[in-house]
């Protein structure tokens, strides 16, 4: 939690705060400690002062008592005085008492009889009224000689002496008053203020009135003598003193704490000042310190920024760094170098074909782009090794690789054969596919360039002491005629090379329009793929009825796929079926057809229409491992008997992988499906093969039927094919019947079924039912 508070604060501020607070705490502890010590010392001093004062006070009282006692004894022994007392000569007694009190400076001088009754005093005006008995009777009784008493708010130290003649005839009482002057004297002597308290009342004090008013409560209530100055905010410290010679009078000594408070104030001021100075020094020095750390860190940060933006040059350190940071800085430098090396390595790998060291497809594209962007015209030559796969299979992959590497070597040395200012870039774009870009000024250079290239590449290759001719196919495009778009240009050269392979031309120049057709096909494939995955598909089926010539009824039809693409155009089924075959989409396309057909047959069955339906298959379909299962499961799912499904395959498809396909066809036949040989007559299958084919039907290609009525030759071929089919136990059907004359001829030849525009064009399922209903009623 505490640490989290610091996560958003800079290192500099953290260091400053840390040292400042450490210093603050230290100052606080030291000051408190000092203050504690000072306070306790002061306390001790105070205690000592109090103790000393007590002693002095006691001493002082004792001395006075001595004076009083001597004086009283002298008085009591005075003969004249004794005589006056005995004769009760009040005037004489009074004058003797007055003289005597003057001599010793006593404030009180009284004579009583033995019962304590007042007889005379030195100052009769003042003391005659004193009820001596009440003040002194106890005194007399207990024979206490000296005592401190309070008489009418005056405090006295008194002594009582018996007057003997020789028996006691009275008592002489002599005393000193503690008046203000006496208290001041005592205060000077003790260095403490002194206060007399009687029964919770201050009777006399050396303190001035103002202080006394403020402090009287503390003075009166002072119960114990504990000193705790540390927490005392009072101005005085009071300590009460029991005087032995008095029962009800307390003496309270008061020490002023003013000096202590002043000392404390000064200490506080000094401490705060010192703390501020130290704090200031601490903050500035820790700032300096933290700068020593954060400046290098900022340098390091700048360095990492440089490295991350690809600048791996680590400059020399400008400032004096602490050793650790210096080492860190150097490690960053080492790291930068390592990253640079790795980056170079990665860049090399990202741009190169690892086998040959030539550029890869991506790199040549960017290179061509940058050449075109500075208006350099280029010739792009894509070439491909003829039957490289076979070459690999025959001589082994290592030898195959050696050939590719040798091609790369020859391409690398090609540059020397061109003008030094021309650019020659070579890349391997795919297994046995190379792309060369050469800068040109005009189209007329092309022939020369091809010749140079061919002479470099086509002389024999040496493989483990075998010399091997490696034929190549070239596709050539150029930026002068075929546009400035690098990607398009490369595609055009590549496409031309694959056309060269397909058409077995050693080299082909790109022709305008080829690219568009190629792109159109590519787009179609992509769109078809989506169409097959879509829930509501833009694909649908048409059904073309087949007429049974023997019964005159319609009991079969052929499912033909249709597609209206995104642009709303009808796409030729022959085109997109061929594209589906080339791209491998045919398997899912056929799955789609099988499912639709099974669904349709089931629907028709339920409506009471029984048609067998032909489905067109490709060689890839039947060879696919899932095909038979899918077919069987799908028809079963839709409650359709296999006998209602006819599978149409061309002779060419059967020839594709004859053994496998024949075994599959046998299997399908045992499952109850019918098989038909489509487009019969245009392939090259021998009669011997036909004999062993596990099929039910021959479908004579429409090229023999379309103009049957006009061609004697077609009629001969068709009639003999029908005869042959029948001899092999097959049903024969003719497609492409466009007129009544052909129909009549076929009937005459004994053909079993016919299909063609003359009967009906392919129709949507519901249209077929409408057509069928009217057809049945008119025939
Ligand atoms: P195909 O299997 O030979 O189909 C017969 C073609 O002949 C159909 O062309 C049909 O419309 C056409 N045709 C029928 N009667 C006549 C006629 O009297 N005169 C003329 N001139 N033509 C007639 P379509 O529908 O254009 O199909 C072309 C080809 O596309 C089909 O030839 C077939 O090979 C392929 N195809 C169509 N649908 C599918 C399918 O679902 N799967 C596969 N694999 N191929 C299909
Ligand atoms: Ca067909
Ligand atoms: Ca056909």
């Amino acid at each position: 939690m505490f640490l989290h508070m610091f996560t958003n604060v800079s290192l500099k501020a953290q260091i400053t705060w840390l040292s400042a607070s450490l210093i603050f705490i230290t100052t606080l502890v030291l000051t408190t400690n000092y203050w504690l010590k000072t306070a306790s010392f002061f306390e001790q001093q105070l205690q000592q002062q109090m103790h000393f004062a007590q002693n002095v006070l006691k001493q002082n009282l004792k001395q006075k008592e001595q004076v009083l006692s001597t004086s009283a004894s002298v008085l009591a022994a005075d003969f004249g005085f004794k005589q006056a007392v005995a004769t009760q000569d009040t005037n004489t007694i009074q004058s003797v008492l007055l003289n005597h009190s003057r001599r010793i400076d006593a404030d009180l001088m009284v004579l009583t009889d033995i019962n304590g009754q007042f007889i005379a005093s030195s100052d009769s005006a003042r003391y005659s009224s004193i009820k001596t008995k009440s003040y002194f009777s106890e005194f007399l009784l207990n024979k206490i000689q000296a005592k401190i008493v309070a008489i009418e708010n005056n405090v006295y130290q008194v002594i009582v002496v018996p007057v003997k003649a020789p028996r006691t005839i009275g008592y002489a009482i002599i005393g000193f008053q503690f008046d203000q002057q006496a208290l001041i004297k005592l205060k000077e002597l003790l260095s403490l203020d002194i206060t007399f308290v009687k029964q919770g009342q201050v009777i006399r004090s050396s303190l001035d009135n103002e202080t006394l008013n403020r402090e009287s409560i503390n003075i009166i209530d002072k119960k114990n003598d504990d000193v705790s100055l540390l927490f005392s905010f009072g101005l005085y410290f009071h300590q009460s003193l029991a005087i032995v010679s008095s029962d009800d009078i307390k003496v309270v000594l008061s020490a002023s704490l003013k000096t202590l408070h002043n000392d404390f104030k000064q200490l506080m001021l000094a401490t705060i000042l010192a703390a501020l100075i130290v704090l200031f020094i601490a903050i500035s020095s820790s700032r300096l310190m933290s700068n020593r750390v954060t400046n290098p860190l900022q340098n390091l940060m700048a360095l990492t920024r440089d490295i991350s933006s690809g600048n791996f040059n680590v400059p020399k350190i400008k400032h004096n760094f602490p050793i650790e940071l210096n080492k860190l800085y150097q490690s960053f430098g080492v790291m930068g170098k390592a990253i640079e090396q790795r980056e170079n390595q990665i860049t090399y790998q990202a741009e190169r074909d690892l086998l040959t060291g030539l550029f890869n497809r991506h790199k040549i594209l960017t290179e061509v782009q940058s050449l075109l962007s500075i208006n350099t015209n280029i010739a792009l030559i894509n070439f491909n090794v003829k039957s490289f796969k076979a070459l690999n299979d025959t001589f082994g992959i290592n030898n195959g690789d050696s050939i590719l590497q040798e091609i790369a070597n020859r391409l690398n040395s090609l540059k020397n054969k061109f003008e030094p200012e021309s650019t020659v870039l070579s890349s391997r774009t795919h297994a046995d596919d190379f792309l060369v870009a050469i800068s040109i000024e005009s189209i007329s250079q092309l022939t020369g360039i091809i010749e140079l290239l061919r002479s470099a590449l086509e002389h024999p290759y040496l493989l483990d002491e075998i010399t091997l001719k490696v034929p190549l196919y070239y596709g050539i495009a150029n930026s002068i005629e075929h546009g400035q778009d690098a990607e398009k240009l490369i595609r055009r050269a590549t496409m031309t090379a694959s056309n060269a392979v397909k058409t077995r031309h050693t080299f082909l120049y790109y022709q305008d329009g080829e690219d568009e057709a190629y792109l159109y096909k590519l787009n179609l494939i992509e769109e078809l793929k989506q169409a097959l995955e879509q829930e509501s598909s833009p694909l649908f089926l048409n059904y073309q009825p087949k007429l049974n010539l023997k019964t005159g009824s319609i009991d079969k039809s052929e499912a033909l796929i249709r597609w209206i693409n995104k642009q709303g155009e009808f796409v030729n089924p022959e085109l997109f079926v061929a594209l589906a075959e080339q791209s491998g989409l045919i398997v899912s396309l056929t799955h789609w057809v099988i499912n639709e057909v099974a669904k349709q047959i089931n629907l028709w069955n339920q409506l009471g229409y029984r048609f067998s339906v032909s489905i067109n298959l490709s060689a890839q379909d039947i060879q696919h491992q899932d095909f038979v299962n899918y077919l069987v499961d799908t028809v079963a799912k839709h409650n359709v008997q296999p006998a209602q499904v006819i599978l149409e395959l061309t002779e060419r498809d059967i020839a594709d992988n004859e053994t496998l396909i024949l075994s599959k066809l046998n299997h399908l036949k045992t499952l109850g499906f019918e098989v038909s040989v489509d487009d019969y007559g245009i392939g090259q299958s021998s009669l011997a093969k036909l004999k062993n084919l596990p099929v039910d039907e021959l479908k004579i290609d429409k090229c023999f039927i379309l103009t049957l009525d006009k061609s004697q030759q077609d009629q001969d071929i068709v009639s003999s094919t029908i005869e042959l089919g029948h001899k092999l136990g097959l049903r024969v059907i003719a497609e492409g019947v466009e007129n009544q004359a052909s129909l009549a001829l076929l009937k005459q030849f004994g053909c079993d079924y016919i299909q063609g525009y003359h009967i009906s064009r392919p129709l949507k399922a519901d249209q077929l039912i409408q057509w069928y209903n009217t057809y049945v009623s008119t025939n």
Side-chain angles (χ1 to χ4, degrees):
M1 168 76 183
F2 184 70
L3 281 176
H4 279 188
M5 278 165 53
F6 280 105
T7 43
N8 289 332
V9 180
S10 76
L11 185 61
K12 206 172 183 169
Q14 285 184 39
I15 295 177
T16 308
W17 272 108
L18 183 70
S19 44
S21 42
L22 277 178
I23 285 164
F24 182 72
I25 291 168
T26 315
T27 316
L28 199 72
V29 169
L30 284 179
T31 309
T32 315
N33 190 39
Y34 178 73
W35 176 239
L36 280 173
K37 284 262 151 62
T38 310
S40 102
F41 174 72
F42 200 87
E43 236 172 67
Q44 253 173 16
Q45 263 196 336
L46 206 60
Q47 290 282 20
Q48 268 173 14
Q49 196 183 354
M50 286 286 170
H51 186 71
F52 173 73
Q54 263 185 48
N55 287 341
V56 171
L57 188 62
K58 278 182 188 158
Q59 204 64 44
N60 183 270
L61 290 178
K62 211 167 206 125
Q63 256 174 28
K64 276 190 174 163
E65 200 183 303
Q66 204 69 50
V67 173
L68 284 177
S69 161
T70 320
S71 151
S73 308
V74 170
L75 179 68
D78 188 301
F79 181 74
F81 179 66
K82 274 197 244 183
Q83 205 170 30
V85 173
T87 55
Q88 301 213 328
D89 177 356
T90 319
N91 281 340
T92 312
I93 296 169
Q94 207 158 7
S95 79
V96 173
L97 287 177
L98 191 66
N99 285 336
H100 219 84
S101 65
R102 274 200 193 125
R103 210 163 41 236
I104 60 159
D105 214 10
D107 299 300
L108 176 76
M109 187 129 334
V110 176
L111 183 74
T112 64
D113 63 13
I114 45 169
N115 297 320
Q117 283 300 327
F118 177 82
I119 299 170
S121 81
S122 58
D123 184 353
S124 58
R126 228 170 124 196
Y127 298 118
S128 58
S129 59
I130 291 175
K131 294 189 183 82
T132 38
K133 187 159 184 188
S134 62
Y135 286 110
F136 303 114
S137 55
E138 182 200 0
F139 216 160
L140 306 178
L141 231 72
N142 296 324
K143 307 268 186 293
I144 298 164
Q145 294 256 304
K147 191 177 179 176
I148 290 181
V149 289
I151 303 166
E152 291 181 336
N153 286 341
N154 287 318
V155 184
Y156 296 90
Q157 184 181 21
V158 291
I159 190 155
V160 180
V161 180
V163 182
K164 293 185 174 167
R167 121 186 114 73
T168 305
I169 51 169
Y171 292 99
I173 303 158
I174 305 172
F176 293 119
Q177 190 190 352
F178 288 106
D179 58 1
Q180 211 58 30
Q181 226 177 336
L183 285 185
I184 301 264
K185 265 190 189 156
L186 264 180
K187 178 184 172 174
E188 275 162 13
L189 187 72
L190 302 175
S191 307
L192 289 173
D193 275 294
I194 180 159
T195 305
F196 288 95
V197 177
K198 185 183 179 185
Q199 287 158 354
Q201 283 270 322
V202 172
I203 358 183
R204 201 149 284 281
S205 174
S206 66
L207 289 163
D208 60 58
N209 284 341
E210 196 192 328
T211 318
L212 194 63
N213 285 341
R214 207 175 45 233
E215 291 288 320
S216 60
I217 303 222
N218 296 328
I219 295 171
I220 294 160
D221 285 354
K222 196 73 215 166
K223 289 197 179 72
N224 54 43
D225 301 330
D226 275 357
V227 192
S228 189
L229 296 177
L230 202 56
F231 306 106
S232 141
F233 295 101
L235 293 175
Y236 279 87
F237 168 69
H238 309 284
Q239 195 171 47
S240 70
L241 199 68
I243 302 169
V244 195
S245 51
S246 175
D247 305 327
D248 54 354
I249 292 175
K250 257 189 337 184
V251 175
V252 176
L253 296 176
S254 305
S256 165
L257 298 179
K258 209 168 155 189
T259 8
L260 181 74
H261 286 307
N262 280 345
D263 278 3
F264 183 66
K265 263 186 213 153
Q266 263 170 12
L267 174 74
M268 272 338 222
L269 267 174
T271 311
I272 289 168
L273 200 69
L276 282 177
I277 292 169
V278 172
L279 214 59
F280 174 75
I281 296 169
I283 289 174
S284 24
S285 59
S286 66
R287 286 220 140 216
L288 264 174
M289 256 303 289
S290 59
N291 279 348
R292 290 263 299 151
V293 176
T294 51
N295 282 346
L297 284 183
Q298 266 155 9
N299 272 16
L300 283 170
M301 250 138 69
L303 189 64
T304 50
R305 266 201 301 277
D306 278 2
I307 290 178
S308 62
S309 63
N311 177 12
F312 299 107
N313 264 338
V314 178
K316 280 254 167 310
I317 312 176
K318 285 182 219 107
H319 309 283
N320 236 353
F321 282 9
I323 301 171
E324 297 88 340
L325 294 174
N326 209 337
K327 279 189 183 152
L328 187 61
Y329 191 90
Q330 269 150 16
S331 311
F332 266 67
V334 175
M335 189 183 78
K337 284 267 168 310
I339 292 178
E340 188 179 18
Q341 268 174 12
R342 267 222 303 285
E343 202 181 66
N344 289 341
Q345 214 175 335
I346 290 169
T347 315
Y348 182 86
Q349 283 174 356
E351 292 176 344
R352 299 290 168 148
D353 163 49
L354 294 182
L355 177 70
T356 60
L358 296 178
F359 286 158
N360 60 18
R361 172 195 295 275
H362 170 75
K363 179 65 177 168
I364 191 106
L365 172 69
T366 49
E367 288 295 311
V368 168
Q369 266 165 349
S370 55
L371 280 177
L372 291 174
S373 71
I374 52 166
N375 294 325
T376 308
N377 275 314
I378 49 165
L380 270 180
I381 303 124
N382 185 276
F383 65 88
N384 192 277
V385 181
K386 184 185 175 184
S387 328
F388 184 69
K389 190 177 175 305
L391 200 141
N392 248 341
D393 292 346
T394 319
F395 298 101
I397 290 175
N398 286 347
N399 281 322
D401 284 354
S402 307
I403 290 174
L404 297 175
Q405 282 162 336
E406 179 55 22
I407 290 176
N409 290 341
R410 293 184 189 185
L411 286 175
N412 284 334
S413 47
L414 193 68
K415 175 122 189 38
N416 310 328
K417 301 194 174 137
F418 287 88
E419 301 290 318
E421 63 274 7
S422 49
T423 311
V424 181
L425 304 169
S426 315
S427 67
R428 185 167 82 120
T429 49
H430 187 61
D432 59 336
D433 234 25
F434 293 82
L435 184 70
V436 181
I438 298 165
S439 56
I440 52 167
E441 312 263 286
S442 74
I443 300 175
S444 58
Q445 288 173 269
L446 286 176
T447 343
I449 288 173
I450 306 288
E451 266 169 30
L452 266 178
L453 201 61
R454 290 188 67 181
S455 72
L457 294 171
E458 287 182 11
H459 63 264
Y461 289 74
L462 197 70
L463 269 191
D464 287 343
E465 289 159 13
I466 318 165
T467 35
L468 199 69
K469 276 200 140 232
V470 177
L472 304 170
Y473 292 107
Y474 304 85
I476 303 123
N478 68 79
S479 65
I480 300 173
E481 288 176 305
H482 306 135
Q484 300 284 319
D485 183 301
E487 226 166 306
K488 214 183 226 176
L489 216 52
I490 290 177
R491 192 181 58 235
R492 288 177 169 177
T494 313
M495 192 191 75
T496 312
S498 62
N499 279 345
V501 174
K502 272 186 217 154
T503 56
R504 315 245 168 238
H505 283 88
T506 302
F507 63 95
L508 280 183
Y509 289 95
Y510 171 77
Q511 300 298 316
D512 279 331
E514 278 180 342
D515 194 24
E516 284 73 13
Y518 173 75
L519 273 185
Y520 175 72
K521 286 178 189 171
L522 269 189
N523 282 336
L524 271 191
I525 292 173
E526 198 43 48
E527 213 182 310
L528 179 62
K529 200 166 157 187
Q530 292 167 11
L532 283 167
E533 285 161 1
Q534 257 165 267
E535 194 73 359
S536 59
S537 178
L539 295 163
F540 58 96
L541 289 177
N542 270 358
Y543 295 88
Q544 191 174 33
K546 297 172 180 178
L547 172 64
N548 186 334
L549 286 178
K550 296 280 149 55
T551 62
S553 62
I554 305 290
D555 53 17
K556 293 190 199 303
S557 69
E558 179 178 8
L560 293 159
I561 194 162
R562 298 290 178 256
W563 177 25
I564 311 248
N565 73 2
K566 278 186 193 158
Q567 282 77 43
E569 296 160 352
F570 176 84
V571 188
N572 184 339
E574 256 163 323
L575 172 67
F576 75 79
V577 166
L579 287 176
E581 281 173 345
Q582 284 165 26
S583 61
L585 277 179
I586 191 70
V587 175
S588 27
L589 184 136
T590 305
H591 279 190
W592 185 86
V593 174
I594 291 171
N595 190 51
E596 289 295 308
V597 167
K599 211 159 55 179
Q600 191 60 57
I601 296 175
N602 183 29
L603 192 71
W604 279 333
N605 286 347
Q606 284 174 9
L607 295 171
Y609 301 99
R610 273 200 97 78
F611 304 117
S612 292
V613 180
S614 297
I615 294 171
N616 290 287
L617 299 183
S618 303
Q620 282 180 57
D621 291 320
I622 194 151
Q623 290 178 63
H624 197 273
Q625 51 185 19
D626 292 340
F627 175 74
V628 178
N629 284 342
Y630 181 79
L631 180 67
V632 172
D633 292 350
T634 312
V635 295
K637 187 173 95 187
H638 294 286
N639 249 332
V640 170
Q641 294 301 315
Q644 270 193 287
V645 177
I646 306 163
L647 304 168
E648 290 191 9
L649 269 150
T650 65
E651 284 175 276
R652 220 186 43 229
D653 287 334
I654 296 170
D656 196 69
N657 188 349
E658 215 172 289
T659 342
L660 177 71
I661 291 180
L662 287 190
S663 82
K664 292 260 183 173
L665 288 181
N666 267 315
H667 184 203
L668 285 166
K669 272 183 65 64
T670 57
L671 292 170
F673 295 96
E674 288 203 339
V675 180
S676 171
V677 183
D678 200 1
D679 300 348
Y680 183 74
I682 55 169
Q684 303 102 5
S685 57
S686 65
L687 289 172
K689 253 184 206 163
L690 192 58
K691 200 181 88 182
N692 297 323
L693 277 183
V695 296
D696 304 272
E697 186 184 88
L698 277 190
K699 194 170 190 181
I700 303 171
D701 189 76
K702 58 179 176 281
C703 73
F704 303 106
I705 309 296
L706 288 171
T707 52
L708 184 71
D709 56 325
K710 297 190 182 74
S711 161
Q712 185 55 49
Q713 204 187 7
D714 284 346
Q715 289 169 23
D716 293 342
I717 296 169
V718 170
S719 66
S720 53
T721 307
I722 294 170
E723 208 174 324
L724 173 77
H726 284 162
K727 289 237 166 83
L728 291 170
L730 304 174
R731 188 169 69 225
V732 181
I733 173 168
E735 65 177 358
V737 179
E738 291 194 342
N739 52 51
Q740 183 60 34
S742 303
L743 185 150
L745 279 169
L746 288 163
K747 203 168 185 173
Q748 187 194 321
F749 298 151
C751 192
D752 302 288
Y753 280 85
I754 60 161
Q755 177 185 352
Y757 295 169
H758 181 62
I759 309 301
S760 167
R761 287 185 175 260
L763 298 168
K764 286 191 175 167
D766 47 350
Q767 290 174 333
L768 181 81
I769 296 303
Q770 279 178 17
W771 171 87
Y772 176 79
N773 289 337
T774 45
Y775 183 83
V776 172
S777 61
T778 50
N779 283 280

